[in-house]
Amino acid sequence: MKLVRWYYDLHSIFKALINSLFAAIGFFCSAIIPNELVTTLGLLNPLQKTLVYIGAFALVFAVYSITFIFFRTKKEKKELEEKEENEIILLAYTKCDRIITDEMKNYCEDNTIAELIIGKPLHTIQKIVSAAYETLDDFYGKSVNPNDRIKFEATFMTKSYIDNEITIPAYQNKENRAPRSLQQRKDNPKVYDDTITARVYREPRPSIHIIEDTTDPKSEYQELYPSQQRRIQSTVVFPVLSNENLLLGTLVIHCDNKGFFRLDKTKFLSELLEIFAKRLASEKLYLDKIVTESGNINVDTSDFKNIF
């Protein structure tokens, strides 16, 4: 694949030179090889000579054709992937733009100060996570054949304001159900201590983590409950960073398709998830400020049910 990418990234002049070189080599081989075979084998019969020449030409033609088809197929596959990636990036921006439009409507409605101050970031965080899920589901989760549909789940994981342990304040999946692990968290606040997100929190420089296959022992993916890996077979965990590169949480995308998230797509996945991560960071910083300054602005955050 790297060779194909290198070839198609060349200037058209160099491509023409390489094509000419291959054509010259093919012409040379089809001219020289038959003569050498005829001389070596001592063939004098015209029919035998003709068959040798035809065979040599067919061999050179086959090698040249297979090489051309290989490069052409790889190029078309690469172009299709790039087209899909550009389309999903545009879809992600469209989903996020709708959130901004919805937020403007909220300002015109009859909301209390507490709902505007505290409710806005909480609701917007959920909308952003839903937008991340919908972007992937709209693009990859639709198929006439149920077996070909990919089921996604998006979650935002961050530290709780109540106990400073990792929690999930926002999530979205096809069933619109809360992650099962949240039930465990009620009795065990440290239930997420062995997750990839916890690992990101411990990193000096948080970075994207792509688990191609959660069942692979090398992935070090830890199940939180039995059979979780049946539902989560591939996952990507993306750090949500502030403008000062402080970790605010992670955007986690799971799917039930082994190998869907791949390491060779790190650049694309980073570009896609950064669209949502920037918006999550903005709302999380706003919420942090509200919680920190709630006493000074006379807003009791404990009365707001959805605060996490």
Side-chain angles (χ1 to χ4, degrees):
M1 193 64 183
K2 290 182 179 179
L3 180 62
V4 175
R5 190 179 295 112
W6 170 81
Y7 172 77
Y8 282 106
D9 286 340
L10 290 174
H11 191 278
S12 57
I13 294 177
F14 293 107
K15 288 182 187 176
L17 289 174
I18 292 175
N19 291 338
S20 299
L21 178 62
F22 267 91
I25 292 173
F27 177 78
F28 176 80
C29 290
S30 61
I32 300 299
I33 292 176
N35 288 329
E36 291 294 328
L37 287 174
V38 168
T39 303
T40 303
L41 299 175
L43 301 177
L44 300 176
N45 189 315
L47 178 60
Q48 292 177 329
K49 289 183 178 180
T50 302
L51 291 175
V52 169
Y53 278 104
I54 292 174
F57 174 80
L59 177 63
V60 173
F61 178 78
V63 171
Y64 191 85
S65 298
I66 291 172
T67 303
F68 176 80
I69 292 171
F70 171 79
F71 274 81
R72 187 68 186 177
T73 302
K74 290 293 184 180
K75 179 190 177 186
E76 291 175 352
K77 182 180 178 181
K78 181 174 180 290
E79 290 176 343
L80 180 61
E81 287 182 349
E82 290 177 347
K83 180 182 177 182
E84 287 183 344
E85 289 172 1
N86 289 333
E87 288 177 356
I88 196 171
I89 291 291
L90 290 173
L91 181 60
Y93 278 114
T94 300
K95 296 284 186 182
C96 288
D97 286 343
R98 288 177 184 171
I99 294 173
I100 296 174
T101 303
D102 289 341
E103 290 304 317
M104 288 190 288
K105 292 179 181 177
N106 289 337
Y107 300 143
C108 301
E109 295 176 355
D110 187 20
N111 294 318
T112 66
I113 294 298
E115 288 172 334
L116 286 174
I117 293 177
I118 304 175
K120 176 191 175 297
L122 286 170
H123 294 317
T124 304
I125 285 173
Q126 178 58 56
K127 288 178 181 179
I128 294 168
V129 172
S130 296
Y133 163 80
E134 290 168 3
T135 298
L136 290 164
D137 185 63
D138 287 353
F139 209 86
Y140 299 109
K142 312 295 184 185
S143 175
V144 176
N145 186 351
N147 294 325
D148 294 334
R149 296 172 192 161
I150 302 175
K151 293 180 69 174
F152 294 95
E153 180 178 345
T155 59
F156 174 55
M157 302 184 73
T158 187
K159 293 290 185 72
S160 168
Y161 294 117
I162 299 171
D163 54 25
N164 201 38
E165 300 293 343
I166 297 173
T167 189
I168 301 178
Y171 54 85
Q172 186 63 54
N173 51 58
K174 191 174 290 291
E175 295 80 15
N176 199 24
R177 294 182 182 142
R180 294 181 183 178
S181 56
L182 277 178
Q183 292 294 325
Q184 295 175 260
R185 195 193 183 285
K186 293 178 180 179
D187 299 321
N188 179 18
K190 296 183 180 294
V191 68
Y192 299 118
D193 279 5
D194 293 326
T195 61
I196 305 297
T197 292
R199 197 182 309 172
V200 173
Y201 266 103
R202 292 191 291 267
E203 290 177 344
R205 186 175 180 181
S207 60
I208 184 174
H209 287 251
I210 298 173
I211 310 298
E212 296 183 347
D213 179 5
T214 59
T215 62
D216 185 351
K218 295 180 181 178
S219 71
E220 298 182 0
Y221 185 85
Q222 299 292 326
E223 283 190 327
L224 297 179
Y225 52 84
S227 74
Q228 186 184 30
Q229 288 173 332
R230 292 183 186 175
R231 186 175 57 83
I232 299 174
Q233 297 190 25
S234 185
T235 186
V236 56
V237 181
F238 192 78
V240 176
L241 303 173
S242 72
N243 58 309
E244 297 178 345
N245 285 316
L246 297 176
L247 184 65
L248 303 173
T250 62
L251 176 59
V252 183
I253 310 291
H254 302 307
C255 79
D256 63 350
N257 190 310
K258 188 180 298 183
F260 180 83
F261 297 116
R262 308 197 311 268
L263 290 171
D264 63 349
K265 291 295 181 181
T266 300
K267 183 177 180 181
F268 161 66
L269 289 171
S270 296
E271 183 179 355
L272 173 64
L273 298 183
E274 181 66 21
I275 296 171
F276 305 103
K278 275 192 172 71
R279 288 154 178 81
L280 284 171
S282 175
E283 299 302 323
K284 180 63 168 61
L285 284 172
Y286 177 33
L287 192 56
D288 287 349
K289 187 71 172 177
I290 295 301
V291 172
T292 302
E293 300 292 335
S294 59
N296 298 332
I297 60 175
N298 197 28
V299 174
D300 186 2
T301 57
S302 63
D303 289 337
F304 201 84
K305 297 179 181 180
N306 291 328
I307 203 75
F308 51 92

